[in-house]
Amino acid sequence: QVQLVESGGGLVQDGGSLRLSCAASGSISNIYSMGWYRHAPGKRRELVAAVTSGINTNYADSVKGRFTISRDNAKNMVYLQMNSLKPEDTAVYYCHAQIRLRSTTYYSDYWGQGTLVTVSS
């Protein structure tokens, strides 16, 4: 009923940039928030950035000033512009959304399949 599809991952050098995209599709009534998590080997999954249906944003301290999250409500898409990338940013990045289906009155969590970002030194 709902799919989140990410794109934009890849290999980039230290100091480079990437732009991740995530598109939500299905029988969607409303999307409250969209965001990005990442999971690196040996580390816990962490929230990278999130944005509500309004303008409220939340960033991990490690990416503030380097990453920017944005959202296109009309297209049910969210983006993550990643600048000044560091090897420590290497991880699988997962799109996340809190979505209410047309047939329900509650919000549920949905996840994308993940896209790999590798930053080489």
Side-chain angles (χ1 to χ4, degrees):
Q1 292 185 320
V2 172
Q3 287 192 97
L4 301 179
V5 180
E6 304 113 324
S7 62
L11 175 65
V12 66
Q13 292 186 17
D14 190 359
S17 298
L18 285 173
R19 181 178 173 87
L20 304 183
S21 300
C22 174
S25 62
S27 56
I28 297 169
S29 178
N30 295 98
I31 301 178
Y32 175 69
S33 69
M34 301 188 79
W36 296 91
Y37 289 74
R38 66 186 181 188
H39 193 182
K43 297 182 178 180
R44 283 194 169 198
R45 182 194 66 180
E46 66 172 343
L47 186 145
V48 179
V51 60
T52 68
S53 59
I55 61 173
N56 291 333
T57 58
N58 186 29
Y59 293 93
D61 288 341
S62 60
V63 308
K64 287 182 178 178
R66 299 188 297 121
F67 292 9
T68 302
I69 189 169
S70 60
R71 179 175 171 180
D72 186 333
N73 292 327
K75 296 183 178 180
N76 290 334
M77 295 190 69
V78 66
Y79 308 90
L80 186 67
Q81 179 66 47
M82 304 185 294
N83 298 326
S84 301
L85 283 162
K86 306 173 182 179
E88 304 91 90
D89 296 316
T90 296
V92 177
Y93 285 70
Y94 296 91
C95 181
H96 167 264
Q98 295 175 302
I99 298 173
R100 177 163 60 88
L101 303 180
R102 295 189 185 278
S103 60
T104 69
T105 59
Y106 55 88
Y107 287 87
S108 297
D109 294 301
Y110 294 89
W111 295 88
Q113 79 288 348
T115 185
L116 177 62
V117 172
T118 303
V119 185
S120 64
S121 60

